[in-house]
């Protein structure tokens, strides 16, 4: 069937790198949606697509989105991946892992990610993604929800024992702190030294808690299980386009890719590479507003 694709000039110019172009991009997308709706009413031309096939801003066109996060946190990376895929502009507040003063507005909660969406505050990565799904009208199937639960219960518990497996790897995991501009030199040193030591001990405790023998092999097996059972012979778990479960899993793997030792081993000993590259292409550039 004939398919016409409207070439969004501002999208191809990557408006998210130039926030001042956002109002123009939003106006362009509204025009596209209006044209699409009108042409669908004329003769039932449901095979025509006049706008970019990427997701467009919906209810959240004018929303102010702020993500409180750790840059290297897999839970935070899941949220960023969803925002990036749906091209929802957002800013980030990097939280000091030791002091957490950035979360002072939450009296009894000191975990990340936390999302501010206009005047609403949403906690926990799953709850945040579920909330954002409603804002962009994305649909989750039962299978999607099953795999998202599987990722949270099976993949996430393997992360700390692998990321902080040795003192050296734990220290490397905190290298990202060097790039955080709002941290003082003292903050960076304290977080790298004490943060690495604490997380190394946490990793050992979690390995024992979950009765993991070879933590690396457990991670390889879990990643390959996802690829075999969720993705299979398809491009993505969602078929030709990523599902929310794909985006969740990509967010986790994206965070792992920041950990040189862990990612090198996962890349070498699993079949994740092709799926990961396809997801990178679909996610595209970041919609983070600097």
């Amino acid at each position: 069937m004939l398919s016409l694709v409207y070439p969004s000039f501002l999208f191809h110019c990557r408006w998210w790198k130039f926030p001042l172009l956002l109002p123009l991009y939003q106006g362009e997308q509204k025009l596209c949606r209006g044209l699409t709706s009108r042409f669908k009413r004329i003769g039932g031309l449901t095979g025509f697509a006049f706008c970019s096939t990427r997701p467009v801003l919906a209810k959240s066109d004018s929303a102010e989105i702020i993500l409180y996060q750790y840059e290297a946190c897999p839970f935070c990376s899941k949220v960023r991946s969803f925002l990036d895929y749906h091209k929802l502009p957002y800013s980030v507040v990097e939280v000091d892992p030791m002091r957490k003063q950035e979360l002072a507005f939450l009296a009894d909660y000191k975990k990340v990610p936390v999302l501010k969406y206009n005047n609403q505050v949403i906690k926990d990565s799953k709850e945040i993604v579920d909330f954002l799904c409603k804002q962009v009208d994305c649909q989750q199937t039962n299978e999607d929800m099953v795999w998202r639960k599987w990722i949270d219960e099976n993949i996430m518990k393997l992360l700390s024992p692998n990321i902080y497996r040795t003192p050296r790897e734990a220290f490397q995991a905190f290298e990202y702190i060097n790039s955080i501009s709002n941290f003082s030199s003292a903050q960076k040193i304290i977080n790298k030294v004490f943060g690495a030591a604490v997380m190394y001990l946490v990793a050992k405790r979690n390995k024992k808690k979950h009765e993991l023998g070879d933590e690396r092999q457990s991670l390889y097996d879990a990643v390959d299980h996802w690829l075999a059972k969720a993705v299979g012979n398809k491009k993505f778990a969602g078929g030709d386009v990523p599902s929310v479960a794909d985006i969740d899993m990509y967010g986790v793997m994206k965070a792992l890719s920041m950990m040189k030792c862990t990612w090198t081993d996962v890349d070498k000993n699993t079949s994740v590479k092709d799926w990961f590259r396809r997801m990178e292409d679909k996610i595209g550039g970041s919609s983070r507003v600097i």
Side-chain angles (χ1 to χ4, degrees), residues 127-275:
E127 297 301 320
I128 292 171
V129 171
D130 286 343
F131 172 85
L132 291 172
C133 271
K134 295 177 183 178
Q135 310 312 308
V136 297
D137 295 323
C138 71
Q139 302 297 317
Q140 296 188 63
T141 65
N142 288 335
E143 185 178 12
D144 209 22
M145 290 185 281
V146 166
W147 279 112
R148 290 186 66 203
K149 182 179 179 181
W150 181 88
I151 291 168
D152 285 341
E153 293 179 351
N154 293 274
I155 296 290
M156 304 310 282
K157 71 180 183 182
L158 299 172
L159 297 183
S160 66
N162 278 280
I163 293 173
Y164 311 105
R165 184 177 60 158
T166 67
R168 175 173 170 267
E169 290 178 15
F171 190 78
Q172 286 180 342
F174 280 85
E175 286 293 327
Y176 82 94
I177 293 288
N178 291 332
S179 64
I180 307 303
S181 60
N182 62 305
F183 284 7
S184 68
S185 297
Q187 281 180 289
K188 292 177 181 180
I189 293 172
I190 291 171
N191 276 291
K192 288 179 66 176
V193 175
F194 290 97
V198 168
M199 291 311 299
Y200 172 71
L201 296 175
V202 168
K204 293 305 176 187
R205 183 193 66 187
N206 287 343
K207 179 179 178 179
K208 182 178 181 180
K209 175 183 176 181
H210 298 298
E211 300 180 342
L212 302 177
D214 184 337
E215 61 268 45
R216 275 291 199 265
Q217 190 60 51
S218 297
L219 181 58
Y220 303 154
D221 292 343
V223 171
D224 279 335
H225 179 82
W226 155 264
L227 294 169
K229 300 299 183 180
V231 181
N233 295 323
K234 307 185 296 291
K235 290 181 179 179
F236 308 100
D240 290 333
V241 295
S243 65
V244 182
D246 280 299
I247 297 171
D248 270 6
M249 186 64 169
Y250 172 79
V252 176
M253 294 296 104
K254 184 68 174 178
L256 275 187
S257 72
M258 298 175 63
M259 314 299 170
K260 184 177 180 180
C261 291
T262 307
W263 184 246
T264 298
D265 289 346
V266 169
D267 185 48
K268 180 180 178 181
N269 293 281
T270 72
S271 305
V272 73
K273 184 181 299 183
D274 290 341
W275 170 85

Side-chain angles (χ1 to χ4, degrees), residues 40-54:
K40 281 185 177 180
R41 292 196 298 269
I42 302 176
L45 298 180
T46 57
F48 284 76
F50 289 88
C51 293
S52 169
T53 56
R54 289 193 64 88

